[in-house]
Amino acid sequence: MTSRKALFVIILILLVDQASKIYIKTNFILNEDVPIFSWFKIAFVENDGMAWGTKISDFISVISDRNAKLFLTLFRIGAVTGIAFWLIDVVKKRKSKILTYAIAIIFAGALGNIVDSVFYGILFSDSTMEVAKFLPEEGGYATVMHGKVVDMLHFPIWSGVLPEWLPFFGGKYFSFFDPVFNIADIAISSGIGILIVFNKKAFTEKVNA
């Protein structure tokens, strides 16, 4: 894959990701949801931490939520910088198309969530009890580096009480799939999945024309 193709993939994912987030942010109230199918709905939530809302401060109590958020944002910036150098190196050395594509979509997804973390706090007003405003006169809901990641895709595929005969979990309520995520998360997960499933092809030393 050439650098132009990789750049096109990155820009496309970023545009779709940010367009969906901005639309949700400026049209939905926090925690509002709209059912599309019985197994899929648009549900606006904001993630102030890592995957599934986990925060660094949940594990290290001496760190405040604000400092934990700043550390997480800086870590994400460092990680995406490393991915960018990896992608540049792979393109220059003309590694496999699968590897280049996988890294490109991982980079795009990571960058998409960084935009939220770095800028959304100053670009939007708070979404609690009202639809957020873009560039509010009174200022945003947070400072630079302290924005929250916008999530909206929810797939509540099945929920109910599990059969009694199941060991350990029988008779208990179970819901699949609870996490709410976004386009950037899909890109990151897809890229990692490609590297796992097509590991041998991705890391082959064969030079592509």
Side-chain angles (χ1 to χ4, degrees):
M1 177 182 285
T2 63
S3 57
R4 286 187 178 182
K5 290 181 179 179
L7 183 61
F8 174 78
V9 169
I10 292 168
I11 292 175
L12 179 62
I13 291 174
L14 276 175
L15 287 176
V16 175
D17 176 63
Q18 288 301 309
S20 62
K21 290 174 177 176
I22 293 172
Y23 175 80
I24 293 297
K25 187 71 178 170
T26 55
N27 287 274
F28 282 64
I29 297 172
L30 188 63
N31 297 321
E32 180 181 357
D33 63 74
V34 176
I36 306 299
F37 303 106
S38 60
W39 47 268
F40 170 62
K41 62 182 177 180
I42 302 297
F44 174 29
V45 300
E46 289 183 314
N47 187 348
D48 198 26
M50 299 177 285
W52 294 286
T54 305
K55 301 178 182 178
I56 297 174
S57 52
D58 294 337
F59 303 98
I60 308 176
S61 58
V62 294
I63 299 179
S64 67
D65 285 349
R66 182 173 177 81
N67 288 334
K69 175 61 180 178
L70 176 60
F71 177 81
L72 177 61
T73 301
L74 291 174
F75 173 79
R76 283 172 169 166
I77 292 173
V80 81
T81 301
I83 296 171
F85 279 111
W86 186 20
L87 178 60
I88 292 171
D89 182 66
V90 165
V91 171
K92 283 183 177 179
K93 293 180 178 178
R94 302 173 72 182
K95 297 286 187 176
S96 70
K97 293 180 180 179
I98 293 177
L99 178 60
T100 307
Y101 178 76
I103 299 174
I105 63 176
I106 291 173
F107 174 79
L111 187 58
N113 282 337
I114 284 177
V115 171
D116 299 28
S117 297
V118 175
F119 300 111
Y120 272 31
I122 60 173
L123 292 178
F124 297 98
S125 61
D126 189 48
S127 296
T128 305
M129 304 300 293
E130 64 179 4
V131 174
K133 298 177 183 177
F134 180 65
L135 296 177
E137 295 182 2
E138 63 275 16
Y141 67 83
T143 54
V144 176
M145 299 285 190
H146 290 92
K148 300 177 182 179
V149 176
V150 174
D151 294 324
M152 79 294 289
L153 304 175
H154 187 206
F155 290 84
I157 297 174
W158 183 87
S159 62
V161 178
L162 295 173
E164 293 286 349
W165 53 264
L166 281 175
F168 305 111
F169 303 103
K172 295 182 179 179
Y173 178 82
F174 178 78
S175 178
F176 180 87
F177 175 78
D178 283 336
V180 182
F181 48 96
N182 56 43
I183 300 298
D185 296 331
I186 294 176
I188 295 171
S189 300
S190 299
I192 294 173
I194 289 171
L195 292 180
I196 293 173
V197 176
F198 301 100
N199 183 273
K200 290 184 178 180
K201 289 184 178 180
F203 292 98
T204 181
E205 290 299 320
K206 180 182 177 180
V207 177
N208 290 293

